[in-house]
Amino acid sequence: MDSVDEDVSARVLLQSVIHTESSRSPITRSASQAQFQSLGSRVRRSIRLRRSDVGTLTPQEALKQSIKKKLHESTSRLTPPVPPSKRRTISEGVRKINTPAPATASLLYDDDITPRYLLRGILQTEPETSLLVQDRPVKKEPELPSTNSSLHSNRPSTGLSDLDFPDMTTTVNLSNTVKGLSRKRPRRSLNITAFNRQLEHEDFFFADGEAEGGSATEKDLSSLSSASPNSITFSLKTPFVDVRTEKRGFQRKVTNRKKICLEEFDEALQNRLAAMGGDPEVSVREDQQGLSETVRSEGFTLGQSDLTAPDITHDIITSNTALYSLPVDTATTFTITTQDKDTITGTQIQREMGGMKDEDEKIMEEVGEPNEDKMELDNKDGEDLAGDVGQREDSVRQKVSKSQTVEAVADSQTEDEELAKSQTEEDGVAESQTEEDGVAESQTEEDGVAESQTEEDGVAESQTEEDGVAESQTEEDGVAESQTEEDEVAESQTEEDEVAESQTEEDEVAESQTEEDEVAESQTEEDEVAESQTEEDEVAESQTEEDEVAESQTEEDEVAESQTEEDEVAESQTAGDEVSESQTAGDEVSESQTAGDEVSESQTAGDEVAESQTAGDEVAESQTAGDEVAESQTAGDVADEGGQVVEEGQEKRLISQSLTHNAMHISRRAYCSEGGVKVAGVMEGGRGYKSMGAALHPTETGWAGRRSQGDTAGEWHSGPEVGASESNHTRTVTLGSVPPSPLPQEDELEGLSRTGTSLGNEEMENSMPPLEMTFEPENNAPHSSNSSLHPITAQSPAEHEGDWDDVEEGDGVWSEELSMKTPAFVREKRNALTIDHLATPTVLKDLQPRQCFGCAAAVKPKAVRGKRTGSAKKDPGLSKSYIMSVFKHFAKTKVSTDVYPVLKEIMERYFDRLADDLETFAAHAKRKTIEVEDVELLMRRQGFVTDSMPVNVLIEKYLPMESRKLLIPVATSGNYVIPKPRRK
Amino acid sequence: MLKRVPKTLKSLMKKKAHIRVGTAADEIVELNVLPFLHSLAEEARTKAFGEKSATVKAVSKTEGQIPVVAV
C-alpha cells in the first residue's frame, strides 16, 4: 500500500524516489517490488491502484491507466501459464525480472501516467518486453489468445500494445523460433487476400480447436508437426501450407524461382524441423535458442508488428495477428527458401554464368589469341608482303648477326641499295634503280642464302661470301647489266659513267662483297674488298656524295684511273701495273697463299674472290675501259696470274680460257666480282697469252679497274696479308714473267670455280695440277669446264663465276659491252648459280672450313681493317642502333625492323640538307665554322623553334643534362657564366 | 633514356672539308635530330594507327622507291 500512497501524488513518488535513489532504475524497483509483492498481488494492486487513481486522474490519464492496467493484466495472466514448459522455466526467471518491470511500469504509469513516463517505461522495459514476449508464448499455448486477442485488440491502440503484439508473435515464434524473425518479412510479401484466407483458416482452427489444427498442420506439415505442441503454431502452420499454395501464386507474382526454392527450402526446413520435431526437447531447445535469437529478432519483429499490427488489430484479433504472423512465418520461410533458392539459383546461375563467362572468357581469350595471332600473322604477312626483301634482309641480318655482324651485311645491302639508288639517281635511271633495287633485293636474298650458307657452313664463309658476292655481283651485274646496257646504250659511253657504273657496280659488288665478305668474314676478301672499299669509300665518300663516277673514278683514279687509261690503252697498265701488280699480287698472293697453304688457298680463294671482285671491277673497268685493253690486261693479268700460276703451269689452258673467260669474266666481272675478277684475271691471263710479263702490266692496266680492285684486293691482301700480297706481287712479277701464271689465274678463275677446286682440288687449286685439270677442260671447253664445274655444286661460287665467265666467254662477249650484254648470260648463269649455290653450301661447307682455317689468321686482321674502312664508308649516317632506338622511343609502339632502311635513307637526306643549310648559314655569316646559332636559325626555319617554344625549352626537353650544361648558359658564383655567352 | 648521338654526327653536319663545327654545335644538331625523329615517329605512328596497325612498318619497296626516284 505504500506504493499506493506513493503513487497518489507526484510528490510522494519523488520523495520515494529520493529515498530509494538506488532503486530508481525501473528494473531495480521492479525487482524490489517483485520481492515485496507477489505477481498476483501486483496485478491486483495495480488494478486497485488504477481504480483508485482513475478517479483522481484526468480522463486521458484514466484511459492510459486503463490501458496500462490491461497490459498489466495481460502480463499477469501471461505469467502464470509460463511454468509448464522448460522454456517457461527459463522464461520464468526472465519473467520474474520481466514481470516486475511491467509492474513497475504500471506503477509508474499509475503514478504519473504522463507520456514521458510511458515512454520511459517503454524504453526501459523494451528489453524486458522481449522477455515478456517469451512468456507470452506460454500463454498462447493455453490458448488465451481469444481473450488475449480481445485484450490485445484493445491494446494495440496504445503505444504499449506494440510491445504486446510483438510478444504474441514472438510467443508464436517461440515454437518456430527462428521463423519468427523471418515471419515479419513474409508478412510484407503477403497480400490482403492471403491474410483473409489465413484469417479464415485461423478462424477455423480456432473454432476447430488445437486438435484439428494440429492434425491439419501435421498432415500439412510433417516437419512442422514437431512444433505441434503449440496448437497455435499448428494452426498457423496449416494455414501456412495453404498459404504456400496460395503464396505460390503470390510468389509467382514475385518470381517463379521462389516456388522451386520454397519446396527445396521447405524440405530443408522440414528436415530441420523433423530433426527438431523428432525430439520435442530439441524443438524446445531450438525454441529456447530461438528465444534468445528471437530476442534479437524481436526488435525487428516489433517494428514489423507495428507495420502489420495496426491493420490486424483493427480487423483481427491478436490471435489472428499471431496467425498472420505464423503464415508470415511460413511465408518468411518461403521467402527465405526463395531467397535461398534465389541465392542458390543465383549462385548456380552465377556459377553457370561464371562458367559461361569463363568459357566465354576462354573463348574470348582463344578468339583473342587467334585474333592476336591473326594480327601477328597479318602484321607478319603485311611485313612480309610489305618487305619480303626487308625481312630477308632482316633474316639475313639476323643470321649474319648470329654468324657475324648482321649490320655489316644489312648495311652492305642497304648501302648497296642505297648505292644502287644513288647511282641510279645519279644516272638518272630510275628503272635501273628499281632493277638495282630488285637486284639488290635478290642480292640480299642471295646474300641471305649465302649468309645462311655461311652460317650453316660457318666455314664456307669465304666461299659463301664468294657465292653471295658472286650472286650479289651477278645480281648487281644483272642490274649493272641493265644499267650498263642502258648505260652502254646511254653510253656507259662516258668511260666515267661506264666506269662509274661498272665501278658502282663494282663498288656495289665490292661493297656487297666486302660487306658480305665482312659479314661472311671471308675476311681476307672482305679485308681486301674493305680496303678496296675503303679506297672506294674514300673516293666514294666524296664520290658517292658527289658522284658515283667520281668515286669509281677516284677509286679508279687510285687504281682505276688506270682503267680509263686502260680504256684508252692498257695505260692503266701503269696504274694497272700497280693495280695489276697489287691485283696480281693479290692474285699471286691468293695463289701463292693457295699454293702456299690450303688455308692460304682458302684465303686465296677469298683473295681470289676479292680478286675476282676486283677482277669483276677490273672487268667492269676493263669493260668500260675497253674489252681489248681488258683482254690484253686480262691476258696480261692472266699472264701475270698465269705467270704466277705458271709455276703451276696451267697458263696455256688458262690463257685459252682466260681469253674466252676474259669476255666472260668481263661480263662476269659484273656478275662475280670475285670469281669474275679471278676469272677475268685468268681470262686476261688467257688474253695475256700475248705476253705474260707485258700482259701482266697491260692486264694490270687493262684491269686498272681490276687492278684497282686487284690493288684494293692487293691492298686488302696487303692489309691483312700485306706480306703475302707483297710476296704475291713479287711472285706475280715473277709469275707475270712466267707464262704459267695464267694457271693461277685459272686457279683464281677456278677459285671462282673454287668449287671445281673445292671439288677436291681446293687445296690443290692452289697447287697447279688440280687446277690444271679443271682448267684443261675449261681450256678445251670452258663451258664444259663450267658445266663440269656446275655439276660440282661445291664449286658453285667459283663455278658460277667460272660458268658465268665461261658463258660469257662462250657468249664471246669480248668487248666490255659484250660483257655488259653478257649479263643476260650472267642472269642465266645466276639462275644456275643460284641453284648451284643452293647445292654448293654442302661443298662450300666442306671447303670453307679449310679455307677458314687459313683465312682466319690472315683474314681477321684484314677484317679489322676492312671494318674500319667499311665503317668509314658504312657510317655515312648514324648508327642503326641509335636511329632505331630513338625512333622506337618516339614512336612509342612496335616498329618493324624493315623500317631502318627507310629511316636510314631519310636520315641521309636529312643530313644532306642539314649540312647544306648549315654551311650556307655559316658562309652567309662569313664564318667557316658552324656555330650553335646557325643550327638555332635552322631550327627556327624548320619550325622546331618558335616564339612559344624557345630553344632552351627544347634543350631541356630533349637533351640530357650534359648537353644542357653546354648549351644553356648558367651563372655561377663569381659572376661566371658557363658556357661563355656568345659575343654579339 | 635516349642514347647519345654517335660522334659521327659532327661529320654528318658538314660536307665541305674546310667548314668546321663550332663548340657544342653538334650538341644542338642533336637537338635538331631528335625533334625531327620525334615528328617522324609521330607521323609514322599516326599513319600506322590510321591503318589499324600497331606496328610501324616500312612502306613497300615499290611504294617507297617512287618518291625516292621522284626526288
Side-chain angles (χ1 to χ4, degrees):
Chain A
M1 293 305 289
D2 295 340
S3 64
V4 173
D5 293 342
E6 291 175 354
D7 294 344
V8 172
S9 65
R11 291 179 182 176
V12 175
L13 292 172
L14 292 173
Q15 290 176 352
S16 64
V17 170
I18 295 167
H19 292 291
T20 61
E21 289 177 351
S22 62
S23 64
R24 284 179 184 177
S25 64
I27 297 170
T28 55
R29 289 178 184 175
S30 64
S32 64
Q33 290 176 352
Q35 293 175 351
F36 289 106
Q37 298 175 349
S38 65
L39 294 175
S41 66
R42 291 177 184 173
V43 175
R44 291 175 184 175
R45 290 175 184 175
S46 65
I47 295 166
R48 291 175 184 176
L49 292 173
R50 290 172 186 173
R51 290 176 184 174
S52 65
D53 294 340
V54 171
T56 60
L57 296 174
T58 62
Q60 294 176 348
E61 293 177 351
L63 292 173
K64 293 179 181 177
Q65 290 177 349
S66 65
I67 294 165
K68 293 178 181 176
K69 289 177 181 177
K70 291 177 182 177
L71 293 172
H72 291 292
E73 289 176 355
S74 64
T75 56
S76 65
R77 290 176 184 175
L78 293 173
T79 55
V82 171
S85 65
K86 293 178 181 178
R87 299 174 185 173
R88 293 169 188 172
T89 57
I90 297 167
S91 64
E92 286 175 357
V94 177
R95 289 175 187 173
K96 290 178 181 177
I97 298 167
N98 293 339
T99 53
T104 56
S106 64
L107 294 174
L108 293 174
Y109 293 112
D110 292 343
D111 294 343
D112 293 343
I113 302 171
T114 61
R116 292 180 181 177
Y117 288 101
L118 293 173
L119 293 173
R120 289 179 182 175
I122 292 167
L123 295 172
Q124 292 174 346
T125 60
E126 281 179 351
E128 295 177 354
T129 56
S130 64
L131 297 175
L132 292 173
V133 171
Q134 293 175 345
D135 294 343
R136 289 176 184 175
V138 176
K139 294 177 182 178
K140 290 178 181 177
E141 294 176 353
E143 292 184 354
L144 293 174
S146 63
T147 58
N148 291 336
S149 65
S150 64
L151 294 174
H152 290 292
S153 65
N154 293 333
R155 292 174 184 174
S157 63
T158 62
L160 295 175
S161 64
D162 295 340
L163 296 173
D164 294 341
F165 287 104
D167 293 347
M168 293 302 289
T169 57
T170 55
T171 56
V172 174
N173 291 338
L174 293 175
S175 62
N176 293 333
T177 62
V178 176
K179 293 179 181 178
L181 295 174
S182 63
R183 288 175 186 174
K184 296 175 182 177
R185 295 175 184 174
R187 288 178 184 174
R188 294 177 183 176
S189 65
L190 293 174
N191 292 336
I192 296 167
T193 56
F195 286 100
N196 293 335
R197 292 177 184 176
Q198 290 177 350
L199 291 172
E200 291 176 356
H201 291 289
E202 289 176 356
D203 292 345
F204 288 105
F205 290 108
F206 287 105
D208 293 343
E210 295 176 352
E212 291 178 353
S215 64
T217 55
E218 290 174 353
K219 292 177 180 177
D220 294 341
L221 299 173
S222 62
S223 64
L224 295 175
S225 64
S226 64
S228 63
N230 293 335
S231 63
I232 295 168
T233 58
F234 288 103
S235 64
L236 293 172
K237 291 176 181 176
T238 55
F240 289 109
V241 174
D242 295 344
V243 171
R244 291 177 183 174
T245 57
E246 292 174 355
K247 287 179 180 177
R248 289 178 182 175
F250 294 104
Q251 293 173 346
R252 290 175 185 174
K253 292 178 182 178
V254 175
T255 55
N256 292 335
R257 294 176 183 174
K258 291 180 179 178
K259 293 179 180 178
I260 299 167
C261 295
L262 292 173
E263 293 174 356
E264 293 175 354
F265 285 97
D266 290 346
E267 291 176 355
L269 292 173
Q270 288 174 355
N271 293 334
R272 292 178 182 175
L273 293 174
M276 295 301 291
D279 296 341
E281 293 178 354
V282 173
S283 65
V284 173
R285 292 175 183 175
E286 289 179 352
D287 292 346
Q288 293 174 349
Q289 294 175 348
L291 292 176
S292 63
E293 293 176 352
T294 54
V295 172
R296 296 175 184 174
S297 65
E298 285 175 355
F300 295 99
T301 55
L302 292 172
Q304 292 176 345
S305 64
D306 292 341
L307 295 175
T308 57
D311 296 340
I312 296 167
T313 54
H314 293 290
D315 294 343
I316 302 166
I317 300 166
T318 57
S319 64
N320 291 335
T321 59
L323 292 173
Y324 288 103
S325 65
L326 293 174
V328 170
D329 294 346
T330 57
T332 57
T333 57
F334 289 106
T335 57
I336 293 166
T337 57
T338 55
Q339 292 175 347
D340 293 344
K341 290 177 180 178
D342 292 346
T343 57
I344 293 167
T345 56
T347 56
Q348 293 175 346
I349 294 168
Q350 291 175 349
R351 291 175 183 175
E352 293 176 352
M353 292 300 291
M356 294 298 291
K357 290 178 180 178
D358 295 340
E359 292 177 353
D360 292 345
E361 291 176 353
K362 291 179 180 178
I363 294 167
M364 291 299 291
E365 292 176 351
E366 292 176 352
V367 173
E369 291 176 353
N371 290 336
E372 293 176 352
D373 294 344
K374 290 179 181 178
M375 292 300 290
E376 293 177 353
L377 292 174
D378 294 341
N379 294 334
K380 291 179 180 178
D381 293 344
E383 292 177 354
D384 293 343
L385 294 176
D388 293 343
V389 174
Q391 291 178 347
R392 293 175 182 177
E393 292 177 353
D394 295 345
S395 64
V396 172
R397 293 176 183 176
Q398 293 175 349
K399 292 177 180 179
V400 173
S401 62
K402 292 177 181 177
S403 64
Q404 298 168 345
T405 60
V406 175
E407 295 177 354
V409 175
D411 293 346
S412 64
Q413 294 173 349
T414 57
E415 290 177 354
D416 293 345
E417 293 176 353
E418 293 175 353
L419 292 173
K421 291 178 182 178
S422 64
Q423 293 175 349
T424 56
E425 292 175 354
E426 292 176 352
D427 294 343
V429 177
E431 293 177 355
S432 64
Q433 290 176 348
T434 58
E435 291 177 352
E436 289 177 353
D437 294 344
V439 173
E441 292 175 355
S442 63
Q443 291 175 350
T444 57
E445 293 175 355
E446 292 177 353
D447 294 344
V449 174
E451 291 174 354
S452 65
Q453 292 175 350
T454 56
E455 292 176 351
E456 292 175 352
D457 296 345
V459 175
E461 294 174 352
S462 64
Q463 293 176 346
T464 56
E465 290 175 353
E466 292 176 353
D467 294 346
V469 172
E471 292 174 353
S472 64
Q473 291 175 347
T474 57
E475 293 174 353
E476 292 176 354
D477 293 346
V479 175
E481 290 173 354
S482 63
Q483 294 176 349
T484 55
E485 290 175 353
E486 293 174 355
D487 294 345
E488 289 175 354
V489 174
E491 294 175 0
S492 45
Q493 313 139 345
T494 58
E495 294 174 351
E496 292 177 352
D497 293 347
E498 291 176 353
V499 172
E501 292 174 351
S502 63
Q503 290 174 346
T504 57
E505 292 175 351
E506 292 175 353
D507 294 345
E508 292 175 352
V509 173
E511 290 174 352
S512 64
Q513 291 175 349
T514 56
E515 291 172 353
E516 292 175 353
D517 292 342
E518 290 174 354
V519 174
E521 295 176 351
S522 60
Q523 303 150 345
T524 59
E525 293 175 355
E526 291 177 355
D527 294 346
E528 293 174 353
V529 173
E531 291 174 353
S532 63
Q533 289 176 348
T534 57
E535 294 175 352
E536 292 175 354
D537 293 341
E538 293 174 353
V539 174
E541 290 173 350
S542 63
Q543 291 173 344
T544 55
E545 293 172 354
E546 296 174 353
D547 293 338
E548 293 174 352
V549 174
E551 292 175 353
S552 62
Q553 290 175 348
T554 57
E555 293 175 352
E556 290 176 354
D557 292 344
E558 295 173 351
V559 175
E561 292 171 344
S562 64
Q563 293 175 346
T564 58
E565 293 175 354
E566 289 175 354
D567 295 341
E568 293 173 355
V569 183
E571 299 168 353
S572 54
Q573 295 169 351
T574 58
D577 293 345
E578 296 173 353
V579 173
S580 64
E581 289 174 353
S582 64
Q583 292 175 347
T584 56
D587 294 346
E588 290 174 353
V589 170
S590 65
E591 291 175 355
S592 64
Q593 291 174 348
T594 57
D597 294 336
E598 292 176 354
V599 175
S600 66
E601 289 176 353
S602 63
Q603 293 174 349
T604 56
D607 295 345
E608 290 175 354
V609 173
E611 291 175 354
S612 66
Q613 294 173 349
T614 57
D617 296 346
E618 291 175 353
V619 171
E621 293 175 353
S622 65
Q623 292 173 350
T624 58
D627 295 344
E628 295 175 353
V629 173
E631 291 175 354
S632 64
Q633 293 174 347
T634 57
D637 293 347
V638 172
D640 294 341
E641 293 176 353
Q644 296 173 348
V645 174
V646 169
E647 295 173 351
E648 295 174 352
Q650 294 176 344
E651 294 173 351
K652 294 178 181 179
R653 295 175 183 175
L654 294 174
I655 293 166
S656 63
Q657 291 176 348
S658 65
L659 293 175
T660 58
H661 291 288
N662 290 338
M664 294 301 290
H665 292 293
I666 293 165
S667 63
R668 291 176 183 176
R669 291 172 183 175
Y671 297 121
C672 302
S673 62
E674 295 175 353
V677 173
K678 294 177 181 178
V679 172
V682 174
M683 294 301 289
E684 292 174 353
R687 294 175 183 175
Y689 287 108
K690 298 174 182 177
S691 64
M692 295 304 289
L696 293 175
H697 297 287
T699 56
E700 292 175 352
T701 58
W703 290 87
R706 295 178 181 177
R707 293 174 182 176
S708 63
Q709 295 174 348
D711 291 342
T712 57
E715 290 175 353
W716 298 341
H717 295 291
S718 65
E721 298 173 351
V722 173
S725 64
E726 292 174 352
S727 65
N728 290 334
H729 291 288
T730 58
R731 292 178 183 176
T732 56
V733 174
T734 58
L735 292 173
S737 64
V738 178
S741 63
L743 295 174
Q745 291 175 349
E746 288 178 352
D747 292 346
E748 292 175 352
L749 294 174
E750 290 176 352
L752 299 175
S753 65
R754 293 174 184 172
T755 60
T757 58
S758 67
L759 292 176
N761 293 331
E762 293 174 349
E763 295 174 355
M764 295 305 291
E765 287 176 353
N766 296 330
S767 67
M768 296 305 291
L771 295 174
E772 290 177 352
M773 292 303 290
T774 56
F775 288 99
E776 289 176 353
E778 291 177 353
N779 293 333
N780 294 337
H783 295 286
S784 65
S785 65
N786 292 330
S787 64
S788 65
L789 294 174
H790 292 288
I792 300 164
T793 58
Q795 295 174 342
S796 62
E799 288 178 355
H800 294 293
E801 293 175 354
D803 293 343
W804 293 351
D805 294 342
D806 293 344
V807 172
E808 291 174 353
E809 291 176 352
D811 292 343
V813 177
W814 293 90
S815 65
E816 293 175 353
E817 292 177 354
L818 293 175
S819 65
M820 295 303 289
K821 292 177 182 178
T822 55
F825 296 99
V826 174
R827 291 176 185 175
E828 293 176 353
K829 292 177 180 177
R830 290 176 183 175
N831 295 334
L833 292 174
T834 56
I835 297 167
D836 292 343
H837 290 290
L838 295 175
T840 54
T842 57
V843 174
L844 294 174
K845 291 177 181 178
D846 295 343
L847 295 176
Q848 290 175 344
R850 294 176 181 175
Q851 292 176 346
C852 292
F853 293 103
C855 292
V859 172
K860 288 180 180 178
K862 291 179 181 178
V864 174
R865 293 180 183 177
K867 288 179 181 177
R868 291 176 186 173
T869 57
S871 64
K873 262 193 182 177
K874 289 179 181 177
D875 294 345
L878 298 173
S879 66
K880 178 184 177 184
S881 62
Y882 174 76
I883 290 176
M884 289 303 285
S885 66
V886 172
F887 187 79
K888 286 177 180 175
H889 174 266
F890 286 127
K892 297 184 178 74
T893 185
K894 291 180 181 177
V895 176
S896 175
T897 54
D898 61 0
V899 169
Y900 173 68
V902 178
L903 270 183
K904 185 176 177 62
E905 181 187 345
I906 291 170
M907 293 307 291
E908 275 189 359
R909 290 163 60 188
Y910 166 79
F911 278 116
D912 186 45
R913 186 161 298 177
L914 178 93
D916 282 341
D917 292 342
L918 292 178
E919 288 175 355
T920 302
F921 291 160
H924 180 71
K926 295 178 181 177
R927 277 186 277 103
K928 289 183 179 179
T929 304
I930 296 170
E931 296 292 350
V932 172
E933 55 188 357
D934 295 328
V935 183
E936 186 176 343
L937 175 61
L938 176 64
M939 292 183 70
R940 203 173 275 281
R941 301 276 303 173
Q942 289 173 337
F944 291 126
V945 175
T946 61
D947 292 339
S948 62
M949 178 61 72
V951 177
N952 286 356
V953 173
L954 273 181
I955 291 170
E956 291 172 355
K957 182 178 178 183
Y958 285 104
L959 295 181
M961 197 64 197
E962 302 84 47
S963 298
R964 196 182 302 179
K965 288 177 180 176
L966 293 174
L967 294 172
I968 299 176
V970 176
T972 59
S973 63
N975 194 24
Y976 293 114
V977 178
I978 299 172
K980 290 181 180 179
R982 306 168 196 157
R983 297 175 183 174
K984 286 186 180 179
Chain B
M1 190 61 188
L2 283 174
K3 297 170 70 173
R4 294 309 310 279
V5 165
K7 292 186 177 181
T8 57
L9 182 65
K10 225 167 190 173
S11 64
L12 289 173
M13 58 185 287
K14 68 183 181 70
K15 290 180 178 177
K16 297 174 184 175
H18 66 278
I19 294 288
R20 296 187 299 173
V21 176
T23 305
D26 56 339
E27 299 283 344
I28 200 166
V29 167
E30 178 185 2
L31 179 62
N32 192 354
V33 171
L34 292 176
F36 171 74
L37 278 175
H38 191 174
S39 61
L40 187 68
E42 291 283 346
E43 290 287 334
R45 185 183 58 182
T46 302
K47 188 177 181 187
F49 287 169
E51 292 173 354
K52 294 182 179 179
S53 171
T55 304
V56 175
K57 290 175 287 192
V59 181
S60 64
K61 283 286 181 181
T62 57
E63 293 177 358
Q65 290 179 348
I66 293 169
V68 171
V69 172
V71 171

